[in-house]
Structures are given as C-alpha cells and as structure tokens.
Amino acid sequence: MWGKWNNLNDMGEWRVRKLKLVDARLYFVSIFVGLLTGLIAVPYHYLLQLFFNTRRDFFGSHPHWYWHIPLFLLLWGILVFVSWLVKKMPLISGGGIPQTRGVINGRISYKHPFIALVAKFVGGVLALSAGLSLGREGPSVQIGSYVGSLVSKWARVLSGERKQLLAAGAGAGLAAAFAAPLASSLLVIESIERFDAPKTAITTLLAGVVAGGVASWIFPFNPYFQIDAMGPSLVFWSQVKLFLILAAVISVSGKIYSMITIYFKRVYLAIKHPAYVKMLYLLFIAYLISLTEVNLTGGGEQFLLGQAMHPDTQIMWLVGMMLLHFVFSVLSFSSGLPGGSFIPTLVTGGLIGQIVGLILVRQGVIGQENVSYIMLICMSAFLVAVVRTPLTAIVLITEITGHLEVFYPSIVVGGLTYYFTEMLQIKPFNVVLYDDMIKSPDFKEDKRYTLSVEVMSGSYFDGKRVSELLLPERCEIINIHRDRKDLKPHGQKLVPGDQVQIEMDSQDIEKLYEPLVSMANIY
C-alpha cells in the first residue's frame, strides 16, 4: 500500500514538474511573440511618421497649384484601394481591439492570419498616410494578435494557451506603439481579455517589455518627455475643487464624444453611396485641413505635442481647432478604414484640458506654466471617460511622459471621472464597437461556440470528475486534452494541465467567459 502511495506521489510530482516546463515554454514563446511583434509594429510606426513628415513637408513648401491635382488623385486611389481591402477582409477594419477580444473569447477565428496581418499593416499605413485622423495603437494591437496567432500555430501550443499568446501579442502591439509595456498589460486585462488570469498577465508583460524595448531602441527620442508638467501651488481644498471641475468637464465631454462618434459610425454604414464617393468626400476634408493645419491630420498627435510644449493662449482659436479635429476624427473613424481611435481620443482630451487650463489662468486660479500639467491629467481622464480603462489610462500617461507628478492627480481625477461616467451611463467605447461588430450583417454567427480553458492546481475544476461539475445552463464539456491525447469527458477526473473544451450557446459566450475561466484558474 505504501508503495502504491509513493507511486502516486511520484506521478504527482512528475506532473507538477511537467506543467512547470510547459509554462516555461509558454513564457519563452511569449518573449518571441513580443520580439516579432516589435519588429513588425515598430516599422509600422516608423512608416507612419515618415509619410506624415513627407506630407507635412509637401504642404509646408506651398507648391504650385497644379501639383495638388496628381497628389489628390493618388490619395483618392489609395483610399479606394484600402476600402476595397476592408470589404474583402472585414476583420481588418477600424482599430482592431474589438476583433482581438472576439478572437480571444472564441467568437471569431483568424482563418488566414498572415494575409490579414499584411492587409492590416498596408491598409493602416496607407489610410493614415492619406491624412485621415486615426491612431496607430489599434492596428498595432491587432497586428500583435495576428503574430500571436501565427506563433501559436508554428509552436504548436496547447489550445488553452493560444489565447494567452494572442493576448501577449496584443499587449506587445500597444507596447510597441507607445513604448509602454506596463500600460499594455493593463489594457489587455481591462479591455481585451477582460480577466486577470495569471498566465495571461505574465505572458503579456514579458511580450510587452520586449516589444517596448524594440520601440525604445528604434525610437530613442520620446517627444512626450519634452513636455513640462508643473503642478500649481494650491491649498488642499482648492485642489479638491480643481479636480472636481476637471472630472465633471471631462465626464460630460466624454459622454458627448462617445454618443456622437457611435452615432456617426452607424449613420455612415447606412449611407448607400459607393465607396469611391465616400472616400472622395473624406479626402476632400482631409486635404483642406492639410492645406491649413497639417498637424491636425494623422490623428493630431503632432498638434497636441506642439500645444503641450509651446501652448497658444487664444482660447477661441483652440476651441475651433479642437472641434475641427473632433469632427474630422469622427468622420475618419466612421469610415471603417484600418486605424484606431486611441490617439485622437488622447488629443481631444488634451485640447479640452488646455482650454480649461487657459480659462483657469484667466481666472487667476493657476499660472500659465501649469497648463501642460492640466493637459496631461485631462488626457488620462478623457481616456477613462471614453474607453473606461482607468488603470491603463493613468499608467499610460505616466509611462509615456515620465512625469510622476501627474500620477496621483490622475488617479483622483480618473477615479472621479469613472464615477461620473457611471452616473451618466456611458458604455465603454470598445464594448459598443464589439456589440456592433457581432450584430453587423458581415458577421456570421454559429449557434454553438467552444471555449478552451486550462485546469490549474487548486482550482474548482481540479480533482473533480466531469459529472460532479456544476456548469452554467446549456454548457457542456465536449473534450479533454491530456498528454497529447484527446479523452472523452464521461467519467474523467480533471487534473492540472488538462485542456478542457466547453461548448455553449453563442449568445452566452461573453457573459460566461469570465465565470468559466475562473473555474479553471486560481488567484
């Protein structure tokens, strides 16, 4: 009897060691995902900057009028081509964060990830190079998820680990876009995977650090570090009043921003004009803005940096620029062309902060040197209001600027903003986009979906027979993968390392994803 007990202990120790080796392999593969994502997403950023500089130099040189004709026709052809790409591959449209979330929770599958990666890369570069007000972060996130999907196939990882590599790639994409690995990990947890599974957090952080390192190596100069952020010398209650004012203004602005953006996106889809006509209208607006204030194009990031380092003091002019950028960003994003909304959102928040800051300067509340400080806090808070990812927003602004002095004020204003947006019933922007995506005519829904989870030691699943599990209604375990073998669920006792496939109705996958994953994990 003692011999049998020792054999069981030996088998248990062998399985624990094997699982640790499997985890170590997963972490190593996630580092490779981060490296590969960085080597793709960073050149994506480089090309966007290169084409923006080329376009800015062209308009800044004030060429003869006849040079504008071939350029306009060329850019029109580019936009028509990109819209054709989107029509052929609908999953490359927009930023890509909702699509990435759909792949991770099992509702969407990447059938041809390499082709889609190339299309997303090319489409994103061309759309932003034409001058549209879109961001680089969303496409970088989806490019990373494509890399994670490809590597998971090449490395032949287990089905339950595939989503962790997808999440790692997505986080690495954001890290490559902003050189902010910590914020990228938080984005995956708050907005994409929407669950703090330990393996997901570790793989995402490892991939993000590597991709962020590649970004810092290729782009050693960070313009955000040049922003001065000097806090005003206010007594405690004056600071409280200031933070309440900022949170209230940002919350109301975020509500308006979200409502208008979603409304126009839905209206744009309902317009029956041919794609080439829509692209003509959009390019006409982009071209006019390029002729007057080219820094407002391409997301508006250069305009924001210019205002943060050398701020204008004309409030009405800034209001006009902010409204122009907002309308242009809404129209650009509504087109569905590859490009995110992260940077345009940050720009809008920063300009709102600058306007509020200048008003406070005129009222004698703060000094002119404190305006950039208000801008950074409002950038973070506006991201909280629209995207509803408070940790990501606060850490991102701190990481990309290096200003710890805005960290604690951003926590206070961001927390108040989150509370006010709850009162205003602002639904997270990416959640609305995700819901619209799965309800769109292009989306083909199956009746049943399969979710793969890995059983961890000490979890609810660990040590239980399949017949003993209390699963949600209409959920069924259809397969157990153990030691490279597929086992029938009936009569099986689950052990750590098992890859369990759970089938459920399509309408339940979002609300049951977190509960089912939590049953197989420990925290």
Side-chain angles (χ1 to χ4, degrees):
M1 182 176 179
W2 283 109
K4 184 177 181 181
W5 179 259
N6 288 333
N7 288 335
L8 289 174
N9 283 339
D10 291 342
M11 289 180 63
E13 290 179 5
W14 172 81
R15 177 166 290 278
V16 169
R17 290 177 183 176
K18 181 181 177 182
L19 290 177
K20 288 182 178 180
L21 288 175
V22 171
D23 290 347
R25 178 176 178 269
L26 176 66
Y27 299 147
F28 176 79
V29 174
S30 69
I31 292 174
F32 180 70
V33 169
L35 177 62
L36 196 56
T37 300
L39 292 175
I40 297 174
V42 172
Y44 178 81
H45 180 193
Y46 175 81
L47 289 175
L48 293 180
Q49 191 64 48
L50 176 65
F51 287 128
F52 174 82
N53 291 337
T54 302
R55 191 161 39 83
R56 182 171 59 183
D57 292 343
F58 174 82
F59 286 102
S61 65
H62 303 291
H64 293 293
W65 65 268
Y66 48 80
W67 286 111
H68 290 285
I69 298 175
L71 178 62
F72 186 90
L73 294 175
L74 174 64
L75 295 179
W76 186 23
I78 286 174
L79 290 182
V80 171
F81 169 72
V82 176
S83 66
W84 174 81
L85 271 182
V86 172
K87 185 177 180 180
K88 291 294 182 182
M89 289 174 279
L91 288 182
I92 70 168
S93 67
I97 291 179
Q99 294 93 316
T100 303
R101 180 190 166 198
V103 174
I104 288 175
N105 66 23
R107 186 175 280 276
I108 296 174
S109 62
Y110 287 153
K111 295 181 179 179
H112 306 288
F114 180 76
I115 296 175
L117 187 155
V118 174
K120 187 76 174 187
F121 187 101
V122 172
V125 169
L126 293 179
L128 269 79
S129 299
L132 301 189
S133 185
L134 298 167
R136 65 178 179 271
E137 75 301 322
S140 298
V141 167
Q142 192 173 15
I143 285 171
S145 72
Y146 284 132
V147 171
S149 177
L150 287 169
V151 172
S152 68
K153 292 181 179 180
W154 298 337
R156 296 182 180 179
V157 299
L158 301 173
S159 57
E161 296 175 335
R162 182 172 175 269
K163 65 184 181 68
Q164 286 150 3
L165 290 184
L166 286 166
L174 184 69
F178 287 109
L182 184 55
S184 67
S185 301
L186 294 173
L187 177 73
V188 170
I189 293 171
E190 287 189 296
S191 185
I192 300 176
E193 214 266 351
R194 305 194 73 186
F195 202 63
D196 55 346
K199 280 189 181 181
T200 302
I202 295 172
T203 54
T204 304
L205 189 57
L206 287 172
V209 168
V210 175
V214 174
S216 299
W217 174 54
I218 297 180
F219 292 104
F221 175 74
N222 185 350
Y224 285 96
F225 284 171
Q226 307 303 309
I227 300 174
D228 292 325
M230 185 182 299
S233 299
L234 299 174
V235 298
F236 176 75
W237 289 112
S238 296
Q239 283 188 335
V240 172
K241 291 179 183 177
L242 173 62
F243 293 160
L244 282 170
I245 291 171
L246 293 179
V249 171
I250 290 297
S251 299
V252 174
S253 302
K255 175 77 170 180
I256 297 171
Y257 182 95
S258 298
M259 289 176 59
I260 293 178
T261 303
I262 297 299
Y263 173 77
F264 269 89
K265 186 168 180 61
R266 291 169 179 170
V267 168
Y268 184 92
L269 294 173
I271 297 175
K272 300 302 181 182
H273 291 312
Y276 68 88
V277 175
K278 292 182 179 180
M279 295 302 106
L280 178 63
Y281 295 154
L282 194 58
L283 179 61
F284 185 73
I285 298 171
Y287 213 88
L288 287 179
I289 295 175
S290 298
L291 289 169
T292 54
E293 184 57 68
V294 69
N295 283 339
L296 278 178
T297 62
E301 186 178 21
Q302 297 303 316
F303 184 81
L304 175 69
L305 289 170
Q307 291 301 315
M309 289 184 276
H310 308 289
D312 285 289
T313 57
Q314 299 297 321
I315 295 178
M316 294 309 298
W317 182 81
L318 282 172
V319 170
M321 291 296 101
M322 184 203 69
L323 292 176
L324 179 61
H325 172 265
F326 168 64
V327 172
F328 182 41
S329 298
V330 168
L331 294 176
S332 298
F333 189 72
S334 299
S335 68
L337 299 182
S341 61
F342 220 76
I343 287 178
T345 302
L346 287 175
V347 172
T348 302
L351 294 179
I352 292 173
Q354 184 180 7
I355 293 167
V356 173
L358 290 174
I359 293 173
L360 294 174
V361 169
R362 293 193 178 182
Q363 297 298 319
V365 178
I366 62 174
Q368 182 66 39
E369 67 277 6
N370 306 132
V371 173
S372 296
Y373 171 84
I374 301 296
M375 289 179 68
L376 294 180
I377 294 175
C378 288
M379 286 168 64
S380 172
F382 198 69
L383 206 57
V384 173
V386 176
V387 187
R388 304 293 295 284
T389 53
L391 297 177
T392 303
I394 294 165
V395 173
L396 177 66
I397 298 303
T398 306
E399 268 193 296
I400 65 175
T401 63
H403 286 301
L404 288 174
E405 54 267 37
V406 301
F407 182 69
Y408 294 108
S410 294
I411 292 176
V412 176
V413 177
L416 289 170
T417 301
Y418 193 89
Y419 173 71
F420 291 157
T421 52
E422 285 283 332
M423 295 176 60
L424 292 171
Q425 298 181 346
I426 303 178
K427 198 171 182 180
F429 190 67
N430 286 323
V431 173
V432 177
L433 294 178
Y434 179 86
D435 292 341
D436 286 352
M437 177 187 70
I438 63 178
K439 295 175 183 175
S440 66
D442 293 331
F443 187 81
K444 296 179 181 179
E445 184 176 66
D446 296 327
K447 292 183 178 181
R448 301 275 286 177
Y449 282 93
T450 301
L451 174 67
S452 295
V453 297
E454 180 182 355
V455 179
M456 293 183 65
S457 179
S459 67
Y460 170 74
F461 278 0
D462 183 20
K464 287 188 173 62
R465 296 191 181 277
V466 173
S467 58
E468 298 173 349
L469 298 176
L470 299 177
L471 296 177
E473 187 178 357
R474 295 186 61 77
C475 288
E476 178 186 4
I477 294 178
I478 59 174
N479 185 58
I480 300 171
H481 187 83
R482 180 189 302 162
D483 298 332
R484 299 183 180 181
K485 296 179 181 178
D486 291 322
L487 306 176
K488 293 182 178 180
H490 182 71
Q492 290 293 333
K493 185 177 181 180
L494 300 178
V495 296
D498 282 352
Q499 306 291 315
V500 180
Q501 291 183 317
I502 307 173
E503 190 178 75
M504 71 198 78
D505 289 341
S506 60
Q507 70 268 19
D508 296 331
I509 193 164
E510 282 76 29
K511 60 185 176 184
L512 293 182
Y513 177 80
E514 293 181 15
L516 290 172
V517 173
S518 67
M519 289 180 177
N521 285 260
I522 57 171
Y523 305 96

